């Protein structure tokens, strides 16, 4: 397909880029098949590890819901360009003429570079020994990636002078080769397109839009979703078990069915991500059904000296909280969300719900509960985020909609306020940037663990108005006015919505 391109640098680069796009696609498919994290996935995880939380938080603040697609697009672009650069570099090294020695040596060199340099740099150890999937599978995956890259590069990049010329070869042979190359080229473009599309759908985070006042219970399909994963686990309930281990008298292993048969409770609870910005959308309320964590612990019998409980998900994400928190009535291991089994996005088959602390401790795809007597640091704590992670009192204006800059008329200001399990005692709004504050009407909470809706009549005059909101928690403590980014303890500050009221046309 590159027949027409004579300029050999360009040709080598394009060939390498195509070859790596296809090899990347193959690696993702193989990774899924073998249960090994694929190269793009490793790189994405590495990016979250290497970047300090302050930077991550600034980036997320700047790009909001576009962050994940952006990061994934950048990784995909880097991967493809990297393939092009390698194609270009090796194209220069190669002596003209066909032969199998060069590709073989090159494939081996690339494979060794991957397993002996890249994998250790990505935190997986030499040959991937320290990765959960182990060295054999990792080495195999990378061998296949290197091999497919080299083979495709050969197919695309072989310079024209190594082809039999039309004078020397029977014409139909030349034509067949051309057709073959065209077909491979088209397949590679298609593969790259599929990879791109697939990355894009993976990267999309559901982003609830709210034209009016926020629904008090968030529909499951609008519920925000956050995870560390490039690809979330898809747990098969028949193969799933919950393990309760560590400092317990009788370790437990429960099947999905056994768990469903335990006495359960239903409760409304609001989840909020610690990365949520002031006025942000990374929160939602649902009705959950599950078994109290305290019941599991009582069955297993906690041994003296235990201080913390460590929860681990199927994606090997883990987090912990104090044993006392685990034994509170509101701490649930939930299997239903809004009357249905959990969706895989929200942690099927089982997830933790822990009142009063941020979303990151609400481990999804839960497979293990371990009782310990030391200060465990979870996935995000190792990256500098708060360990207590107590939810800050916050409030948000949803009406008038913050996206609207101008409005012809308005009759109310409204939104939500949340203070974990401390409850909300009052909400006040200001229409003059905090000069004066007016009380808002607060709807009774659905449970001790949810946000509240609030509303205030407002009949504004034309012109600009700077709306602010603030809430006080159940103890009467007013939320912090000081503005802080989410990292490392969760955002603080008042939500501000500037709006211009346009005089009605008469
Ligand atoms: N196993 C696992 N659980 C996890 C996470 C994760 O990456 N893996 N992310 C946490 C974070 S940061 C948040 S905010 C909540 C989000 O839950 P949701 O997607 O159901 O809204 O899940 C938490 N539980
Ligand atoms: Mo989160």
């Amino acid at each position: 397909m590159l027949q027409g391109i004579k300029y050999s640098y360009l040709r080598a680069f394009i060939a390498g880029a195509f070859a790596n796009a296809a090899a990347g696609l193959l690696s993702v498919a193989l990774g899924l098949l073998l249960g090994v994290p694929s190269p793009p996935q490793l790189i994405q995880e590495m990016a979250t590890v290497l970047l300090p939380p302050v930077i991550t938080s600034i980036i997320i603040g700047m790009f909001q819901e576009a962050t994940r697609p952006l990061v994934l697009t950048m990784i995909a672009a880097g991967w493809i360009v990297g393939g092009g650069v390698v194609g270009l570099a090796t194209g220069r090294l190669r002596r003209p003429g066909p032969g199998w020695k060069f590709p073989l040596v090159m494939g081996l060199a690339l494979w060794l570079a991957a397993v002996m340099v890249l994998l250790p740099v990505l935190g997986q150890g030499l040959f991937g020994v320290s990765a959960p999937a182990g060295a054999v599978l990792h080495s195999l995956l990378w061998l296949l990636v290197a091999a497919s890259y080299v083979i495709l590069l050969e197919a695309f990049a072989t310079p024209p002078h190594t082809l039999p010329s039309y004078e020397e070869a029977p014409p139909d042979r030349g034509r067949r080769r051309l057709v073959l190359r065209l077909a491979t080229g088209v397949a590679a473009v298609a593969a790259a397109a599929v990879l791109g599309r697939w990355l894009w759908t993976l990267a999309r985070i559901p982003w609830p839009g709210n034209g009016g006042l926020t629904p008090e219970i968030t529909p499951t399909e609008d519920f925000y979703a956050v995870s560390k994963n490039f690809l979330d686990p898809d747990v098969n309930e028949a193969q799933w078990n919950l393990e309760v281990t560590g400092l317990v008298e009788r370790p437990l292993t429960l099947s999905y069915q056994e768990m469903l048969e335990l006495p359960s409770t239903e409760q409304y609870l609001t989840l909020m991500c610690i990365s949520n910005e002031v006025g942000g959308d990374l929160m939602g309320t649902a009705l959950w059904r599950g078994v109290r964590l305290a019941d599991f612990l009582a069955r297993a019998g906690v041994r003296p000296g235990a201080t913390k409980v460590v929860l681990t998900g199927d994606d090997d994400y883990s987090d912990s909280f104090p044993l006392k928190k685990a034994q509170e009535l509101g701490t649930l291991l939930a299997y239903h969300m809004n009357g249905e089994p959990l969706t895989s996005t929200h942690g099927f088959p089982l997830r933790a719900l822990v009142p009063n602390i941020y979303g990151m401790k609400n481990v999804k795809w839960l497979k293990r509960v371990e009782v310990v007597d030391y200060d465990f640091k979870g996935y995000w704590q190792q990256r500098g985020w708060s360990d207590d992670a107590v939810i800050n009192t916050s409030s948000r204006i949803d009406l008038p909609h913050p996206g609207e800059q101008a409005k012809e008329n308005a009759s109310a200001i409204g939104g939500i306020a949340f203070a974990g399990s401390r409850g909300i005692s009052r909400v006040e709004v200001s229409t003059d940037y905090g000069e004066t504050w007016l009380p808002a009407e607060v709807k009774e909470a659905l449970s001790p663990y949810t946000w509240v809706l609030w509303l205030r009549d407002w009949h504004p005059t034309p012109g600009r108005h700077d709306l602010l909101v603030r809430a006080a928690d159940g103890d009467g403590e007013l939320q912090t006015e000081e503005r802080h980014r989410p990292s490392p303890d969760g955002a603080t500050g008042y939500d501000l919505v500037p709006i211009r009221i346009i005089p009605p046309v008469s």
Side-chain angles (χ1 to χ4, degrees), residues 223-229 232-233 271-275 282-284 288 311-319 337 342-343 345-347 351-353 358-366 379-380:
F223 206 98
Y224 86 94
V226 166
S227 88
K228 69 160 180 68
N229 306 311
D232 283 339
L271 272 184
M272 179 178 191
C273 181
I274 196 166
S275 301
L282 296 180
M283 54 196 306
W288 311 87
L311 305 190
T312 307
D314 193 66
D315 54 350
D316 288 323
Y317 175 93
S318 59
D319 210 332
M337 177 181 190
L342 290 174
T343 59
T345 317
H346 295 295
R351 76 170 303 162
L353 294 172
Y358 281 111
M360 65 181 165
K361 305 233 161 203
N362 295 244
V363 176
K364 303 192 273 189
W365 311 289
L366 190 64
Y379 185 87
W380 289 115

Side-chain angles (χ1 to χ4, degrees), residues 402-472:
E404 269 173 325
Q405 274 156 7
K407 219 176 157 52
E408 257 186 40
N409 50 53
S411 57
I413 308 171
I416 53 106
F418 185 45
S421 61
R422 304 185 301 281
I424 293 290
S425 55
R426 64 174 204 278
V427 174
E428 295 165 340
V429 287
S430 171
T431 59
D432 52 13
Y433 200 66
E435 294 277 314
T436 54
W437 291 90
L438 311 159
E441 192 190 324
V442 176
K443 188 175 184 300
E444 202 190 326
L446 288 167
S447 88
Y449 313 122
T450 64
W451 63 20
V452 293
L453 300 187
W454 59 266
L455 203 61
R456 167 80 204 193
D457 279 350
W458 184 46
H459 300 285
T461 50
R464 184 187 158 129
H465 302 269
D466 287 316
L467 310 181
L468 282 172
V469 62
R470 66 183 188 192

